[in-house]
Amino acid sequence: MLSETKLNILKQISGDFSRDEAIWASGYLAGLAGGSLSAAILPPLQTETTASNAVKKITLAYGTETGNSKKLATGLATIIKKKGVQVKLADLSQYKPKDLAKEEFFFVVISTQGEGEPPALAKKFYDYIHENEINLTHLKFGILALGDSSYPQFCKTGEDVDSRFEILGAQRIIPLKKCDIDYEQEAGHWIEHVFETVNKTSETSSKNISAPKVSSGRKKFQGKVSSIINLNDITSDKETYHIEIETEDILAYQPGAALGILPYNSKQIVEEIIALTGIHSQKRIETPKVTDTVEQLLQRHLNISYLLKSVVAQYAKITGHIIPEVRLSLLDLLRIYPVKNAEEFEDVLQILTGQAPRLYSISSSLEAHGDTEIHITVAKSEFFIDHQKHNGLCSGFLSEFSEGQEVEFYIQDAGHFKLPEHDKDMIMIGPGTGIAPFRSFLWERDAVGAEGRNWLFFGDRNFVSDFLYQTELQDFLKTGGLTHLDLAFSRDTAEKIYVQHKLEQKAQEVFYWLEGGASVYVCGAKEPMSRDVEETLLNIIQNEGKKTKEQALHYLEEMELSGRYAKDVY
């Protein structure tokens, strides 16, 4: 109970509260009492938070190991309910993934454990969405990832779920939010953004309720490779291919969108697997995903290159081998832990997951290149296992294409990675193949005569051998399509210079652009590039804007929430 003195103070300050102010105050005090969320997470007082057109129901799911995600999700659900929105709180350890087909708005709070692993209780859900091709084109989602930045795989589980939902066709309506161990305030901003976004989405949907329905299936296009060019010089130790595809279909996409391709497995590897198992290559097998010949299943439909640990465990049960918890290719498994006969291998075919598509940023523009042609930029990935060189499955598959070869693809919507208004400035930071969407941006803005200024930061290893799209960029610079072009070639100097160092050198002008309303886009390698670039941006905002670290974080967060700061990293 309150003392008489405190009770009198409370009566004095609350006597003239409006109804909304009283509701907010009660929620604030309840938060203090419950201890589940600090006061920092509660949203600022708003007198019109309950909109009559607000969405009626969302699902807020959590995946937790230590209890933090559950505690946070529960607190966030309380906040959003007070705004008049019905919230279904779901534990991913109990959630049935098949119920995703019934969801419209689905938000996830999930933590990362150990070396980038999902929480043990959420692993079943995590594995299901990664091992199954679910149609999620109807789903609108957002992910709040919890982690500890002192670990190298910071928020990896949240990143994985976010990217997998996108691959499955779901629409990301708010950007992935990654929170460190002090997450309360950022989580509060996130749930406010959830409410605002679903409210707008609901209003838009209600206005278009009589619009004809469109098939939710992902449209596949058939095209032919009309040009394939290695953008690197012969002296480079890299191979980056510019690939142009022509189609008889009319294409529709926005700059920032991605092209999805389902790669085929190596014919040589498939032949080795068939020889090792003794199975007939033309025998037709029915699997949970597709029915086809053994040869076609292995080459076109099933993932055989890097099996999930859960698949390896099932393989061990089928074959009776004791296999450590590892991820191996199917060929390596068969070599080390062979099947007894062809019949046993048929059982193995049943447990293999479907081949997952790969997404590549589109590097062309409808306005500049027409609606029957599309371009992508692909770096051939190479890695070594036991001193033997291997190629990345899809990049190796694409790099071996020849002109005239047919290819099947689909288009993935741009999501949050979209051009600003024609009169707005933009800063693009894209080393290596991160240049791809920015080539699309530049061609599009040039074709439509956009008035906004364009500033590109590009980097790679060597100027002579690795300056991708050099002639085009220099032409844009000459004609004014590019206002500034800053280059960082890390191997050309004794001290390695990267794009974030070029940002630091132009700190004053960068901040001037930000204050003028410029949008910032980052595309390329997630680690360490995107993190280093973000840290540099925060330092620029803090130093040039004379702000505290917390104020700089809030400044960049507000840019992200308003769509002025977007990342497409991998």
Side-chain angles (χ1 to χ4, degrees), residues 437-550:
F438 302 141
R439 179 179 185 264
S440 175
F441 281 16
L442 290 170
W443 275 110
E444 180 83 4
R445 293 198 109 187
D446 185 68
V448 301
E451 301 164 6
R453 297 176 298 171
N454 308 310
W455 188 351
L456 174 65
F457 289 84
F458 172 75
D460 214 311
R461 293 180 180 175
N462 301 102
F463 176 90
V464 172
S465 58
D466 305 313
F467 191 168
L468 309 183
Y469 298 112
Q470 177 180 354
T471 303
E472 287 185 8
L473 295 179
Q474 290 175 332
D475 286 344
F476 277 128
L477 199 58
K478 290 175 185 176
T479 60
L482 260 177
T483 311
H484 298 304
L485 175 61
D486 281 82
L487 303 170
F489 292 99
S490 60
R491 306 290 175 87
D492 284 347
T493 53
E495 183 179 354
K496 291 184 178 180
I497 303 296
Y498 297 108
V499 286
Q500 64 265 25
H501 300 128
K502 291 294 182 177
L503 276 170
E504 286 176 338
Q505 292 173 11
K506 300 295 177 69
Q508 187 174 11
E509 190 172 1
V510 167
F511 186 69
Y512 178 77
W513 277 48
L514 297 185
E515 286 288 271
S519 296
V520 177
Y521 301 88
V522 182
C523 183
K526 185 184 301 179
E527 297 292 347
M529 186 278 295
S530 67
R531 182 177 292 185
D532 291 341
V533 165
E534 185 161 303
E535 190 63 35
T536 301
L537 287 171
L538 286 169
N539 288 337
I540 289 172
I541 294 166
Q542 184 176 347
N543 297 331
E544 298 299 323
K546 305 295 187 288
K547 300 179 185 295
T548 65
K549 186 176 181 179
E550 290 72 22

Side-chain angles (χ1 to χ4, degrees), residues 393-463:
L393 176 61
C394 197
S395 64
F397 171 68
L398 291 170
S399 66
E400 294 172 3
F401 272 27
S402 55
E403 292 182 9
Q405 190 167 344
E406 293 188 354
V407 59
E408 184 178 81
F409 64 92
Y410 66 92
I411 292 173
Q412 181 74 44
D413 182 63
H416 69 291
F417 206 78
K418 295 180 179 178
L419 277 170
E421 297 298 322
H422 289 344
D423 60 343
K424 300 297 184 182
D425 299 335
M426 65 178 183
I427 298 172
M428 301 163 285
I429 305 161
T433 52
I435 187 67
F438 302 141
R439 179 179 185 264
S440 175
F441 281 16
L442 290 170
W443 275 110
E444 180 83 4
R445 293 198 109 187
D446 185 68
V448 301
E451 301 164 6
R453 297 176 298 171
N454 308 310
W455 188 351
L456 174 65
F457 289 84
F458 172 75
D460 214 311
R461 293 180 180 175
N462 301 102
F463 176 90

